[in-house]
Amino acid sequence: MSMAPSTNGFLLLDGGFNLIAANDPALQILSFPSGADRIKQPKVFLADRVRTTLLDHGNQDAPAFVREFKSGKRRYICKNFRVDCNGHYPVQPAFAVLLERTAAESSGLSEISEQFDLTQRERETVELLLQGLTSKEIATRMKISPNTVKAFLRLVMVKMKVSTRSGIAGKVAGSRPNA
């Protein structure tokens, strides 16, 4: 069974980062490239993958979760949340972990935004530009004037040292990881 691209993985861990529960997409994400159906002991396998893939052991005080990781050619954002169930369960969950797939465009755009120090509004403008929208359509979506959109795009062009809208798209495309 193949996983839909928008399906998120979910894990529930105790305070020692031991697995309490996980959904099927989490197993599919963390078992790639092997099929999830080939994993003989999913709970043991996932516990190992949490420790080797999702925890950042670079922190000297205590392990922390990575923010992003790759599974094959796909990138995932790892969001973790502390959980307190006030003694209502035999094993107290300590962390809920959400694995969300990122789009290649947003990954490249994040790198470009940092590299060229784009503001949030400049980044939003570039994001809409990459969707093929005109300045007028971008203005409507952002609830600003078309002239403001053009000003944002000019600022982005100056920062990226390009002279056209397609130059912006080229910079973003060039920053994507090799597929």
Side-chain angles (χ1 to χ4, degrees):
M1 184 168 132
S2 66
M3 181 177 69
S6 63
T7 305
N8 296 326
F10 180 80
L11 302 139
L12 196 57
L13 309 172
D14 69 14
F17 304 107
N18 299 305
L19 184 69
I20 296 172
N23 66 356
D24 288 338
L27 181 60
Q28 290 173 333
I29 292 166
L30 293 171
S31 68
F32 187 86
S34 297
D37 55 334
R38 292 186 172 190
I39 307 299
K40 301 266 188 258
Q41 297 178 322
K43 194 167 183 172
V44 172
F45 173 82
L46 283 172
D48 181 58
R49 292 295 288 190
V50 164
R51 293 183 193 292
T52 59
T53 305
L54 301 181
L55 291 179
D56 179 6
H57 297 282
N59 186 347
Q60 298 299 325
D61 299 329
F65 290 95
V66 297
R67 291 183 183 198
E68 186 175 283
F69 71 96
K70 285 179 77 173
S71 179
K73 292 182 181 177
R74 295 178 176 172
R75 287 180 182 260
Y76 290 88
I77 293 178
C78 178
K79 296 180 180 177
N80 66 85
F81 309 90
R82 292 214 39 83
V83 178
D84 182 12
C85 294
N86 298 322
H88 295 307
Y89 298 98
V91 177
Q92 287 299 303
F95 300 99
V97 180
L98 184 64
L99 308 175
E100 290 182 310
R101 184 171 176 197
T102 62
E105 296 82 18
S106 99
S107 172
L109 191 53
S110 292
E111 292 172 16
I112 285 289
S113 293
E114 285 182 33
Q115 182 181 351
F116 294 103
D117 196 29
L118 300 183
T119 66
Q120 180 60 38
R121 294 297 270 177
E122 290 168 345
R123 178 189 166 138
E124 187 178 344
T125 304
V126 171
E127 216 168 335
L128 294 170
L129 173 71
L130 293 174
Q131 293 175 18
L133 301 181
T134 65
S135 292
K136 189 173 181 179
E137 292 168 328
I138 293 170
T140 301
R141 291 252 185 113
M142 293 177 67
K143 296 179 177 37
I144 57 178
S145 79
N147 287 334
T148 305
V149 171
K150 290 175 187 172
F152 281 145
L153 290 174
R154 278 192 298 274
L155 288 168
V156 171
M157 287 181 213
V158 167
K159 289 180 179 183
M160 291 184 175
K161 297 184 176 143
V162 297
S163 57
T164 62
R165 294 162 64 106
S166 59
I168 294 171
K171 287 275 188 175
V172 174
S175 75
R176 291 185 190 146
N178 295 334

